[in-house]
Amino acid sequence: MKIITSIVHMQALAIAPEREGRRIAFVPTMGFLHEGHASLLREGRTRGDVLVLSIFVNPIQFGQNEDLDRYPRDMERDCHIAESCGVDIVFMPTAAEMYPSGFQTGVTVQELSLPLCGASRAGHFDGVATVVTKLFNIVRPDVALFGAKDYQQLAVIRRMTEDLNMPLEIIGMPIVREADGVAMSSRNAYLTPSERQSASCLIRAIRRARELFAAGERSVAVLLKATRAVIELEAAAIIDYIEFRDCVTLQEREVADDSTLLALAIKIGQTRLIDNSVLGELA
Ligand code: PAF
């Protein structure tokens, strides 16, 4: 497994497979890898001849009062996980090289970036779209894999790839959950044991909504009330949003159907957690 920190070196390594008709599969991450990332890497391994993982804590997708400085990092452990998943190249650029002085270009996916997490994290998806565009230009993948836990991010990246005619396939992979149903996230590392227990209110709320939907309930007002009630039982959880939206356009819905996305964000202590479920999809 090669570890590459320079952008030109990574670009040079990407050219050979392209010329030889070998496919590059790419998993972009911010590191502190967990089983969710490992599932992307294992799937990437089956879809490409060369598997590239990037680890880059992207400063421009964090707001002023967010957790950029304390975002968890463990390069040694990440490299072990990467190796065990069959990664060929780990690309770890520096922020100084990704955003040198004079850098002033950004990518905005307009409407999809505004609701949900975009409403409470202004500029977040511009930062994501910009870094993912840069990473695609550097790694030149044929296929890139993203987890569905960051559902809006996946929607933004799909739209961007299509709108800008980027020549690659985007694969969304199912959420990987802990035994109690909590979605795996690098940010779970911030939670104290009691906060970690409280975090399971997200999956309990999702299950309640799915149960009602499966029993025939289609009114978003009713589904919302029931979902909110589950979260409100958890004293430690502060709701940022609970919303029912179309799973492709992210437009608000009043009547739920199989393609309705339930998306939630809460804060527990200092930690912001998100989760989601498309009501018509298998859990
Ligand atoms: O999901 C993440 O880890 C990040 O948002 C991504 C896609 C690597 C961009 O920095």
Side-chain angles (χ1 to χ4, degrees), residues 256-276:
D257 64 19
D258 282 355
S259 65
T260 299
L261 167 77
L262 162 58
L264 308 93
I266 60 171
K267 234 178 156 186
I268 296 187
Q270 292 304 303
T271 309
R272 191 168 181 282
L273 298 172
I274 57 173
D275 206 338
N276 71 78

Side-chain angles (χ1 to χ4, degrees), residues 234-266:
E234 186 53 69
I238 309 293
I239 296 171
D240 176 353
Y241 63 74
I242 303 174
E243 295 195 28
F244 289 82
R245 288 182 175 256
D246 180 83
C247 71
V248 177
T249 63
L250 302 187
Q251 298 286 325
E252 274 178 299
R253 283 286 176 88
E254 285 178 9
V255 178
D257 64 19
D258 282 355
S259 65
T260 299
L261 167 77
L262 162 58
L264 308 93
I266 60 171

